[in-house]
Amino acid sequence: MKFTVKAWSNGRARAGVLQLGSCPGPIETPSLLISTRKGLPFFIPPDLLPSLPSPDSHLLQVCPLHFAEGISPKAISSIGGLHHMLGLHDYGLAAVARDSIQCLPECNSTNKLGASFETPCGRLLIKPADYMEMICSLRPNIWATLADEVPSWVADKRNKTSVDRSVRWLDECIALGPAGGAVFGAIVGGSSMEERQRCAQEVARRNVSGFWIGGFGLGENMDERPALLNSVTDILPKEKPRLICGLGLPEEVLQGVASGVDLFDSVYICHLTLRGFALTFPLDGIGVNESDCQLGDNGSDRTKINLRATVYRKDTSPIIKSCGCYTCQNHTRAYINHLLNVHEMLAQILLEIHNTHHYLGFFRAIREAVKAGRFEQFRQQFVKSRRDHLAMAAVAHA
Amino acid sequence: MSDWAAYGTLEFLDERGSLSGISAVLTPRETKLLNGASFRGTIKGLATNQLEEIGCQIILGNTYHLALRPTSELIDEMGGLHKFMNWPRALLTDSGGFQMVSLLHLADITEKGVTFQSPVDGKPMLLTPEESIQIQNRIGADIIMALDDVVKTTITGPRIEEAMYRTLRWMDRCIAAHQRPHEQNLFGIVQGGLDPVLSYAIGGLAGGESKDSFWRVVAQCTAALPEDKPRYVMGVGYPLDIVVCSALGADMYDCVYPTRTARFGTALVPEGVLKLKHKAMADDTRPIDPTCACMGVLKLKHKAMADDTRPIDPTCACMVCRNYTRAYIHCLVTKDAMGSQLLSYHNLYYMMKIVILAYWLIMSSRNHYDPEFGISCVNHQDINRHGLVCDTYSRLSSLCLKRLVVLQILYFPKGDVPEWVCNAMEVAGIDISSCCAPLSLSQD
Ligand SMILES: [Zn+2]
Ligand SMILES: [Zn+2]
């Protein structure tokens, strides 16, 4: 793995280039990691993945815990690791202990031996040795060390324990770890500025290729987040990449970018897709989107539309007229509305394609703003425009 | 015979009637109706260009379900079903009658039509032959079906005769009601249970009948029907049944089998049954019951699959078998959406292969084609589109080709071909004696 920062904007926001052996070309950051279930996107079939913009779409996040049941580390090893098992030879795969959807940290059951997670296969206690066995068999391009993540409301003492454990497990993971694969040291510390800084300092001292910032999206207040984020990124060496999990909404991504985070996971796309929503916000951050939402679409706020709404029953336009994604090039809102009505999985396939495509476009717009040195302006315009739309929608539906 | 080509196809509306739930329509013969159109469409959990890869030609839309949602009026307003689902290739709709009788217990059939309880408000509704055609005219498929008087194949006596004559009277009413005869081809339905005197039951074979009476009925129908019109055997789902029906001169089939079975974690393979969730079956890829017509099934739910690093079918060239192991698919099936997507893909691909192999079997056997000549004369574009045939067989010597084709289709390694298959093949004039003896085939 090779990472280079190319441009800075408004202090902390930065644009960079990430090079991974398996990717077809350098991936520009800030970048989106596509969420997966057992290594493949939730619905987008592997042969449709190449229809997404390349190389932007070539970073996937994989949760090793998804393989806790159904397939053994031995079998994964004999297949040749994740890339072979998934048939994704020219993709960059980043392993993080939790996803932000189904496998979440359960800090009350975590103990000195290992971290506890709530997963679809029940509650699992994962020790560093278990975790590293998974990582060694998966052979991802990037892997984050095991952490004791706690929600924002825990007492100071628990927070301190979480940092101590995470740093100790980091050392254990590296000691047990494979030669290949870039190690991202996990940084935790909940909502305590001091603990965050202590953890960042400890991890920055270790021999790691990058940093995984954990403990966000776990109940903290959106207003207190920037200060916490900044306290971490200010300590971290500038030349190494930072990956964060749990920030999904566009506004949250913008918060992360503003603090100097380079890589993000994408729970938002999954949530929208499962609820029948399609992203329609303008990608230039300003102006009214051409894809005006229809009156009667109660879920719409002009940044997304609810394709279940009956107003789309006879709507023969694509989700967004100018969108180049497979879905918009081939299917109408009316058809997707029908597929949703009859509970047909193709609806989710088409929506996940469009939403992923659109969100990758959002990240491209962010990069362009950073490179042009006007990230803060872009961010404010975007947030204001979306807030106006959300407010207007709230009034319209009142 | 020169216009015969290997065309297979797809799927249909599922029991809930979504556009992309589907059942396969497979045709080993190119017909005017199924010719030409370029690609795009959808099947249960599969997107248009995946269907293109698989080689699907025609989609069967379910009239009863489409009429409920999104309604035939809406489809009409959207410019027809092709446009609505963005499928420029062939489409076919059924009459809607079969679903009413099979899904709704209270259906009552009189000379006027089929009376049933509306699933929306429970009120009695009447579907007449005229209405069925009107609805299908609005949906706009390339092939539409006449309403038939459906009777269970297990029923005997005067009711069968009544159904046959009523179906004929209704067909006349359908022809008279047909508003778009130049754009849509109306298929008649041959109905009449399993009584060999009345026969012609291509439309009534919904299960229950024995395999032996089943093939005899198909043989009688195909023998009596004009050569130049395609014959569609409705509701035939299993690979072996399709091979036998093709040999007997049928051209089109539909089935929900490949995708439905995929949802339960079962893969279709040439040599056995693979259910990936069950433990006791371990590495055993033999059929559960060698006489069972569901030959070639791999149950990917099976626990032993967790360590099986082979592809689902090592001889298969599909996207799934090129990229994924049984172990990986085992951990997806019945839990994750992707599991049924990948298995559906393979299963449909497999069905396409069956149809192509059936075509070769017929060509090489019935026309006494030299197998080598057979390869060169088959339109190369077709074969390449189905890549699999080239991939699988180009390396094999032409001498063993025919034998292999037969073996691939009728996989009975111990030579224990069921009697009904032997009988059907004899009537079809296809010599399968070479596969009726145990054989070990070594591939290079
Ligand atoms: Zn789109
Ligand atoms: Zn396959």
Side-chain angles (χ1 to χ4, degrees):
Chain A
M1 185 206 80
K2 221 179 124 193
F3 179 73
T4 325
V5 178
K6 297 281 187 190
W8 295 83
S9 180
N10 305 93
R12 297 185 179 88
R14 57 204 217 151
V17 172
L18 181 73
Q19 281 167 296
L20 294 169
S22 56
C23 287
I27 291 173
E28 291 193 60
T29 63
S31 185
L32 171 74
L33 299 176
I34 294 173
S35 286
T36 65
R37 176 88 197 126
K38 294 176 184 166
L40 290 178
F42 294 79
F43 299 103
I44 306 173
D47 52 334
L48 273 181
L49 262 180
S51 76
L52 292 170
S54 177
D56 308 32
S57 61
H58 280 246
L59 273 183
L60 304 185
Q61 178 169 311
V62 180
C63 173
L65 296 189
H66 291 174
F67 303 107
E69 200 181 80
I71 189 163
S72 65
K74 211 178 107 235
I76 298 173
S77 286
S78 64
I79 293 166
L82 266 180
H83 290 86
H84 283 93
M85 183 167 74
L86 305 174
L88 299 176
H89 303 281
D90 53 353
Y91 282 74
L93 304 171
V96 177
R98 63 139 153 144
D99 61 21
S100 298
I101 302 160
Q102 285 179 306
C103 296
L104 295 167
E106 210 296 294
C107 79
N108 291 328
S109 306
T110 293
N111 58 38
K112 61 181 178 183
L113 297 174
S116 176
F117 298 88
E118 288 294 354
T119 77
C121 334
R123 187 175 294 175
L124 299 175
L125 184 79
I126 306 293
K127 296 169 194 160
D130 306 329
Y131 183 66
M132 288 320 296
E133 189 191 6
M134 291 176 186
I135 296 294
C136 289
S137 65
L138 294 170
R139 290 189 234 160
N141 300 85
I142 291 170
W143 58 276
T145 57
L146 188 68
D148 174 14
E149 281 189 274
V150 293
S152 61
W153 57 78
V154 297
D156 285 350
K157 195 174 161 228
R158 178 68 183 86
N159 212 344
K160 187 176 174 304
T161 313
S162 125
V163 172
D164 292 341
R165 276 183 195 154
S166 298
V167 172
R168 198 176 73 234
W169 291 346
L170 183 149
D171 291 332
E172 285 183 47
C173 284
I174 291 175
L176 291 162
V183 188
F184 276 36
I187 297 168
V188 294
S191 51
S192 154
M193 192 92 79
E194 297 73 43
E195 289 302 320
R196 285 253 167 220
Q197 285 169 334
R198 182 168 72 91
C199 194
Q201 277 158 358
E202 287 294 327
V203 175
R205 253 192 243 127
R206 265 60 177 189
N207 179 24
V208 293
S209 308
F211 304 95
W212 176 70
I213 304 174
F216 283 102
L218 295 176
E220 77 279 10
N221 186 325
M222 231 177 124
D223 296 332
E224 63 179 334
R225 192 182 290 146
L228 284 169
L229 274 172
N230 290 342
S231 71
V232 172
T233 53
D234 285 350
I235 287 167
L236 300 178
K238 295 194 169 15
E239 71 281 5
K240 290 181 180 176
R242 300 114 180 219
L243 160 62
I244 199 164
C245 284
L247 303 190
L249 292 171
E251 287 81 1
E252 295 183 303
V253 169
L254 291 170
Q255 277 189 332
V257 173
S259 294
V261 175
D262 307 298
L263 302 163
F264 295 82
D265 73 354
S266 63
V267 198
Y268 187 48
I269 294 172
C270 170
H271 286 163
L272 289 175
T273 300
L274 289 175
R275 282 153 56 214
F277 282 90
L279 285 174
T280 55
F281 61 72
L283 288 174
D284 54 6
I286 24 170
V288 179
N289 202 7
E290 50 159 312
S291 68
D292 50 322
C293 80
Q294 304 254 6
L295 282 175
D297 170 358
N298 285 326
S300 160
D301 51 26
R302 287 164 203 256
T303 72
K304 58 183 186 289
I305 58 173
N306 178 3
L307 281 165
R308 282 186 209 278
T310 41
V311 283
Y312 301 115
R313 219 170 91 87
K314 296 180 182 179
D315 192 335
T316 53
S317 49
I319 297 167
I320 298 178
K321 282 196 189 73
S322 58
C323 181
C325 84
Y326 173 84
T327 304
C328 293
Q329 293 294 310
N330 288 289
H331 296 291
T332 62
R333 295 175 178 190
Y335 185 50
I336 300 171
N337 172 265
H338 167 70
L339 293 172
L340 287 165
N341 280 333
V342 294
H343 308 288
E344 192 50 53
M345 201 205 299
L346 186 60
Q348 279 77 45
I349 296 175
L350 296 177
L351 283 174
E352 195 183 24
I353 289 172
H354 169 81
N355 288 333
T356 305
H357 186 101
H358 196 79
Y359 224 42
L360 289 169
F362 173 60
F363 275 81
R364 195 180 327 115
I366 292 174
R367 290 194 296 270
E368 275 156 24
V370 174
K371 283 190 269 184
R374 49 172 192 83
F375 171 72
E376 197 49 40
Q377 192 189 352
F378 169 87
R379 179 191 176 191
Q380 275 169 14
Q381 265 173 337
F382 184 90
V383 171
K384 182 178 178 302
S385 152
R386 216 170 91 101
R387 193 188 294 133
D388 290 348
H389 289 322
L390 293 168
M392 272 160 67
V395 171
H397 301 148
Chain B
M1 283 301 201
S2 60
D3 66 342
W4 281 54
Y7 273 147
T9 306
L10 35 141
E11 284 260 316
F12 198 49
L13 305 192
D14 68 353
E15 56 277 28
R16 291 187 314 274
S18 52
L19 257 185
S20 46
I22 287 176
S23 60
V25 175
L26 303 152
T27 168
R29 181 168 71 173
E30 183 179 28
T31 71
K32 271 186 186 144
L33 302 172
L34 308 172
N35 200 357
S38 66
F39 269 100
R40 271 186 211 170
T42 114
I43 306 194
K44 182 141 205 87
L46 294 177
T48 333
N49 57 351
Q50 297 188 289
L51 299 182
E52 184 175 346
E53 282 292 315
I54 291 168
C56 294
Q57 285 278 319
I58 183 169
I59 293 182
L60 173 50
N62 189 307
T63 296
Y64 169 77
H65 293 298
L66 287 174
L68 279 180
R69 277 188 308 192
T71 74
S72 61
E73 287 81 3
L74 184 123
I75 293 173
D76 193 19
E77 215 178 304
M78 297 287 103
L81 190 55
H82 285 94
K83 206 172 163 198
F84 185 58
M85 61 191 293
N86 193 18
W87 175 257
R89 288 199 159 226
L91 282 169
L92 180 155
T93 46
D94 68 348
S95 66
F98 179 73
Q99 262 74 25
M100 287 176 194
V101 176
S102 60
L103 296 180
L104 309 166
H105 301 295
L106 300 169
D108 182 33
I109 301 170
T110 62
E111 192 57 30
K112 263 171 123 180
V114 184
T115 308
F116 62 99
Q117 250 191 339
S118 160
V120 180
D121 54 13
K123 284 184 189 149
M125 290 178 71
L126 176 70
L127 180 77
T128 63
E130 290 79 9
E131 256 175 337
S132 168
I133 296 299
Q134 265 172 28
I135 294 168
Q136 294 186 76
N137 280 162
R138 281 196 291 264
I139 293 171
D142 306 270
I143 301 170
I144 62 175
M145 292 282 161
L147 186 67
D148 58 329
D149 181 2
V150 183
V151 284
K152 284 212 176 77
T153 49
T154 43
I155 284 178
T156 51
R159 177 68 185 93
I160 301 276
E161 198 166 354
E162 186 194 21
M164 188 188 91
Y165 288 114
R166 182 175 286 150
T167 296
L168 290 173
R169 288 192 297 274
W170 283 4
M171 203 186 301
D172 290 334
R173 286 166 62 186
C174 287
I175 293 167
H178 190 10
Q179 299 277 319
R180 304 170 64 183
H182 300 294
E183 302 144 273
Q184 296 179 287
N185 301 276
L186 178 63
F187 272 38
I189 300 222
V190 188
Q191 184 60 265
L194 287 172
D195 187 333
V197 183
L198 300 164
S199 172
Y200 314 126
I202 299 200
L205 295 164
E209 67 278 347
S210 76
K211 291 291 175 196
D212 214 51
S213 37
F214 158 77
W215 78 259
R216 283 176 205 282
V217 168
V218 173
Q220 259 178 325
C221 289
T222 53
L225 292 168
E227 270 284 315
D228 59 344
K229 293 195 173 157
R231 301 83 173 254
Y232 167 28
V233 184
M234 299 169 80
V236 170
Y238 298 119
L240 184 56
D241 297 359
I242 287 175
V243 172
V244 171
C245 287
S246 300
L248 293 169
D251 305 307
M252 297 167 66
Y253 314 93
D254 71 82
C255 61
V256 290
Y257 183 61
T259 48
R260 180 173 293 164
T261 204
R263 267 173 280 155
F264 297 106
T266 303
L268 304 175
V269 291
E271 74 275 44
V273 178
L274 218 51
K275 290 199 177 174
L276 284 156
K277 287 281 180 201
H278 300 297
K279 194 157 195 172
M281 293 298 292
D283 266 324
D284 196 344
T285 54
R286 288 170 302 168
I288 286 173
D289 168 8
T291 65
C292 175
C294 71
M295 48 91 61
V297 178
L298 187 69
K299 310 221 168 174
L300 289 160
K301 281 164 68 183
H302 197 309
K303 276 252 172 68
M305 292 298 151
D307 291 319
D308 195 333
T309 55
R310 288 171 296 174
I312 295 171
D313 171 5
T315 69
C316 179
C318 87
M319 176 272 286
V320 179
C321 292
R322 282 199 317 265
N323 288 298
Y324 299 102
T325 57
R326 294 176 184 186
Y328 182 59
I329 293 174
H330 165 83
C331 92
L332 292 177
V333 289
T334 70
K335 290 196 195 104
D336 299 288
M338 194 55 72
S340 72
Q341 284 186 46
L342 295 179
L343 263 190
S344 292
Y345 188 106
H346 164 81
N347 283 355
L348 274 173
Y349 194 94
Y350 181 82
M351 292 302 269
M352 298 296 298
K353 184 156 78 172
I354 285 290
V355 173
I356 294 166
L357 292 177
Y359 159 79
W360 277 23
L361 170 68
I362 292 159
M363 290 299 274
S364 61
S365 205
R366 186 179 282 170
N367 295 339
H368 308 290
Y369 265 23
D370 170 35
E372 212 156 13
F373 178 64
I375 298 173
S376 56
C377 81
V378 170
N379 182 329
H380 257 276
Q381 225 178 339
D382 292 338
I383 296 305
N384 285 336
R385 186 164 56 230
H386 303 299
L388 52 136
V389 174
C390 286
D391 292 2
T392 313
Y393 298 106
S394 59
R395 284 160 295 163
L396 296 160
S397 102
S398 62
L399 285 173
C400 72
L401 181 73
K402 182 185 160 195
R403 193 168 217 188
L404 185 68
V405 166
V406 173
L407 279 172
Q408 285 284 324
I409 301 170
L410 308 167
Y411 194 87
F412 298 99
K414 287 187 221 139
D416 47 353
V417 180
E419 206 183 332
W420 72 273
V421 175
C422 295
N423 294 342
M425 287 298 177
E426 199 183 325
V427 168
I430 293 173
D431 179 14
I432 57 163
S433 54
S434 62
C435 11
C436 290
L439 179 87
S440 72
L441 186 87
S442 61
Q443 300 184 6
D444 55 330

